[in-house]
Amino acid sequence: MRQEFVAQMDTLDQDLLRMSRYVRRAIERAIEAMDTCDVVVAEQTIDADDRIDELADHVDDQCLQLLALQAPVATDLRIVITSMRVSQTLERMGDLARHIAQIVRQSHPHKPAPEPIQQKIDQMAELVVQAARNVVDALTDRDIKLAGRIQDEDDKIDDLEIEINKLALDESIELTRPQLSNVLMLARFLERFGDHATSVARRLAFQIQGIAVAHAQDFSTTQE
Amino acid sequence: MRQEFVAQMDTLDQDLLRMSRYVRRAIERAIEAMDTCDVVVAEQTIDADDRIDELADHVDDQCLQLLALQAPVATDLRIVITSMRVSQTLERMGDLARHIAQIVRQSHPHKPAPEPIQQKIDQMAELVVQAARNVVDALTDRDIKLAGRIQDEDDKIDDLEIEINKLALDESIELTRPQLSNVLMLARFLERFGDHATSVARRLAFQIQGIAVAHAQDFSTTQE
């Protein structure tokens, strides 16, 4: 029973990591499509989101089965619950990458926004791609320091959103209505993606710290 | 132990219902603020969101405690997991009501959008308020038919978003940039609110049906 449980927890962990890599790939491709005005890459990103959704459902099922059949406690319970939530958040990040790719597709063969706004969006996008990469690494290495950095870096993403929204309302920059719509939506989707990356980082940190606390308690109990 | 468990499940249910009523109130107030250009009501809606967030955290803690200490199975497990997810979704609906109130505050003393677009936004808002009311009623009465209706009605909300986005890009309608921004964001937030209402309805339906299936199985076992 215990052996089976450990194997199931391991599968769950592997699937969640795979999901995070799919999401990283999705946002990398969406931004690559924006950089190169490549509608084929945009289409591929849109189509690939189904795979993330399927994996999210699968992770969900695994968590429910683990809860129902193994009734995990303490650290294990915390891991299962965190996995459910991280899966839900990653699924949403996949949706946002798809939304970005849809804007790229719609504005093809042009970039979604004119300069100097596109440049700011590109800066924001770079930070968001980095956040997705950091999420994969933090989850893989259970790296609490990196989880902290993801949360810190999110402030820069938020600042850029504010800056872009200001530029969008600056009448001295010429913008068509579809361009203004692209700018506002891209800024929003990128900002949300960053928020979700932060949420994954926070949950991971909470899980690792919780486990650290639990271990310390185990230890102190042993000492008594 | 069982008695305590039943009491805890009941508290959880009551808190979730209370949360749904707070969310209904939040969206009603946000839309009232928009209808009447009342900045005080908008402010109150923004401030009241903290209460929803606190309740969401509290529901979360209760669910984790139930899972950890009572290790519920079958129907009970399903209820706890659904409660966690519904709480998360309601919390997000509260955020969206706050975002809408923030747009109302920002555009004060004017309405966020000019006619004829404001009228379409008002239509969309009315459907969204109705969805929030239906969510409360469906959760309270565990009404699977009403849960179905919430899902059906969401198509109308989605159609209105598309219609509004088209109007926003129609150059024959005069729009300042802040107005265009309001229109796009309001349509987006209302559409997301409707989506989340649908998600709550779907989870409720799934829970009720799951329980129906479980009961049928119990029954057939008894007959054997």
mmCIF file of all heavy atoms in Angstrom, chain A residues 143-153 201 205:
data_model
loop_
_atom_site.group_PDB
_atom_site.id
_atom_site.type_symbol
_atom_site.label_atom_id
_atom_site.label_comp_id
_atom_site.label_asym_id
_atom_site.label_seq_id
_atom_site.Cartn_x
_atom_site.Cartn_y
_atom_site.Cartn_z
ATOM 1 N N ASP A 143 13.255 24.685 -5.240
ATOM 2 C CA ASP A 143 14.189 25.757 -4.907
ATOM 3 C C ASP A 143 13.424 26.939 -4.299
ATOM 4 O O ASP A 143 12.775 27.714 -5.008
ATOM 5 C CB ASP A 143 14.916 26.176 -6.198
ATOM 6 C CG ASP A 143 16.004 27.212 -5.951
ATOM 7 O OD1 ASP A 143 15.942 27.904 -4.923
ATOM 8 O OD2 ASP A 143 16.900 27.315 -6.808
ATOM 9 N N ILE A 144 13.523 27.060 -3.003
ATOM 10 C CA ILE A 144 12.738 28.082 -2.292
ATOM 11 C C ILE A 144 13.281 29.488 -2.573
ATOM 12 O O ILE A 144 12.516 30.463 -2.591
ATOM 13 C CB ILE A 144 12.682 27.777 -0.778
ATOM 14 C CG1 ILE A 144 11.524 28.536 -0.124
ATOM 15 C CG2 ILE A 144 13.993 28.081 -0.092
ATOM 16 C CD1 ILE A 144 11.183 28.037 1.249
ATOM 17 N N LYS A 145 14.588 29.589 -2.805
ATOM 18 C CA LYS A 145 15.180 30.899 -3.110
ATOM 19 C C LYS A 145 14.660 31.402 -4.461
ATOM 20 O O LYS A 145 14.307 32.567 -4.616
ATOM 21 C CB LYS A 145 16.706 30.797 -3.173
ATOM 22 C CG LYS A 145 17.379 31.256 -1.889
ATOM 23 C CD LYS A 145 18.846 30.998 -1.916
ATOM 24 C CE LYS A 145 19.705 32.245 -1.974
ATOM 25 N NZ LYS A 145 21.143 31.844 -1.834
ATOM 26 N N LEU A 146 14.631 30.490 -5.423
ATOM 27 C CA LEU A 146 14.133 30.852 -6.750
ATOM 28 C C LEU A 146 12.642 31.205 -6.678
ATOM 29 O O LEU A 146 12.177 32.144 -7.339
ATOM 30 C CB LEU A 146 14.377 29.698 -7.727
ATOM 31 C CG LEU A 146 14.104 29.970 -9.201
ATOM 32 C CD1 LEU A 146 14.839 31.211 -9.693
ATOM 33 C CD2 LEU A 146 14.497 28.764 -10.056
ATOM 34 N N ALA A 147 11.911 30.477 -5.846
ATOM 35 C CA ALA A 147 10.482 30.787 -5.654
ATOM 36 C C ALA A 147 10.331 32.215 -5.138
ATOM 37 O O ALA A 147 9.440 32.958 -5.562
ATOM 38 C CB ALA A 147 9.846 29.786 -4.693
ATOM 39 N N GLY A 148 11.236 32.614 -4.243
ATOM 40 C CA GLY A 148 11.224 33.979 -3.722
ATOM 41 C C GLY A 148 11.528 34.992 -4.815
ATOM 42 O O GLY A 148 10.897 36.050 -4.890
ATOM 43 N N ARG A 149 12.493 34.638 -5.672
ATOM 44 C CA ARG A 149 12.869 35.566 -6.745
ATOM 45 C C ARG A 149 11.706 35.777 -7.727
ATOM 46 O O ARG A 149 11.493 36.882 -8.211
ATOM 47 C CB ARG A 149 14.118 35.050 -7.471
ATOM 48 C CG ARG A 149 14.918 36.221 -8.065
ATOM 49 C CD ARG A 149 16.140 35.793 -8.859
ATOM 50 N NE ARG A 149 16.891 34.741 -8.208
ATOM 51 C CZ ARG A 149 17.561 33.779 -8.860
ATOM 52 N NH1 ARG A 149 17.553 33.752 -10.185
ATOM 53 N NH2 ARG A 149 18.235 32.869 -8.207
ATOM 54 N N ILE A 150 10.959 34.709 -8.015
ATOM 55 C CA ILE A 150 9.800 34.838 -8.914
ATOM 56 C C ILE A 150 8.838 35.887 -8.352
ATOM 57 O O ILE A 150 8.327 36.739 -9.076
ATOM 58 C CB ILE A 150 9.068 33.484 -9.084
ATOM 59 C CG1 ILE A 150 9.970 32.476 -9.807
ATOM 60 C CG2 ILE A 150 7.750 33.662 -9.847
ATOM 61 C CD1 ILE A 150 9.474 31.033 -9.748
ATOM 62 N N GLN A 151 8.617 35.819 -7.044
ATOM 63 C CA GLN A 151 7.691 36.767 -6.409
ATOM 64 C C GLN A 151 8.229 38.196 -6.481
ATOM 65 O O GLN A 151 7.480 39.134 -6.736
ATOM 66 C CB GLN A 151 7.429 36.339 -4.964
ATOM 67 C CG GLN A 151 6.735 34.982 -4.873
ATOM 68 C CD GLN A 151 6.576 34.479 -3.441
ATOM 69 O OE1 GLN A 151 5.886 35.093 -2.635
ATOM 70 N NE2 GLN A 151 7.224 33.370 -3.117
ATOM 71 N N ASP A 152 9.548 38.351 -6.260
ATOM 72 C CA ASP A 152 10.155 39.692 -6.309
ATOM 73 C C ASP A 152 10.080 40.281 -7.719
ATOM 74 O O ASP A 152 9.745 41.456 -7.907
ATOM 75 C CB ASP A 152 11.632 39.636 -5.876
ATOM 76 C CG ASP A 152 11.769 39.243 -4.408
ATOM 77 O OD1 ASP A 152 10.763 39.382 -3.679
ATOM 78 O OD2 ASP A 152 12.858 38.795 -4.018
ATOM 79 N N GLU A 153 10.399 39.453 -8.706
ATOM 80 C CA GLU A 153 10.455 39.933 -10.094
ATOM 81 C C GLU A 153 9.080 40.355 -10.607
ATOM 82 O O GLU A 153 8.976 41.120 -11.562
ATOM 83 C CB GLU A 153 11.008 38.838 -11.011
ATOM 84 C CG GLU A 153 12.465 38.468 -10.753
ATOM 85 C CD GLU A 153 13.444 39.455 -11.371
ATOM 86 O OE1 GLU A 153 13.259 39.789 -12.546
ATOM 87 O OE2 GLU A 153 14.387 39.882 -10.668
ATOM 88 N N ALA A 201 4.744 30.012 -7.208
ATOM 89 C CA ALA A 201 5.940 30.174 -6.385
ATOM 90 C C ALA A 201 5.575 30.230 -4.902
ATOM 91 O O ALA A 201 6.245 29.621 -4.059
ATOM 92 C CB ALA A 201 6.692 31.437 -6.798
ATOM 93 N N ALA A 205 6.698 27.572 -2.053
ATOM 94 C CA ALA A 205 7.428 28.018 -0.860
ATOM 95 C C ALA A 205 6.695 27.571 0.402
ATOM 96 O O ALA A 205 7.305 27.051 1.349
ATOM 97 C CB ALA A 205 7.579 29.534 -0.872
#
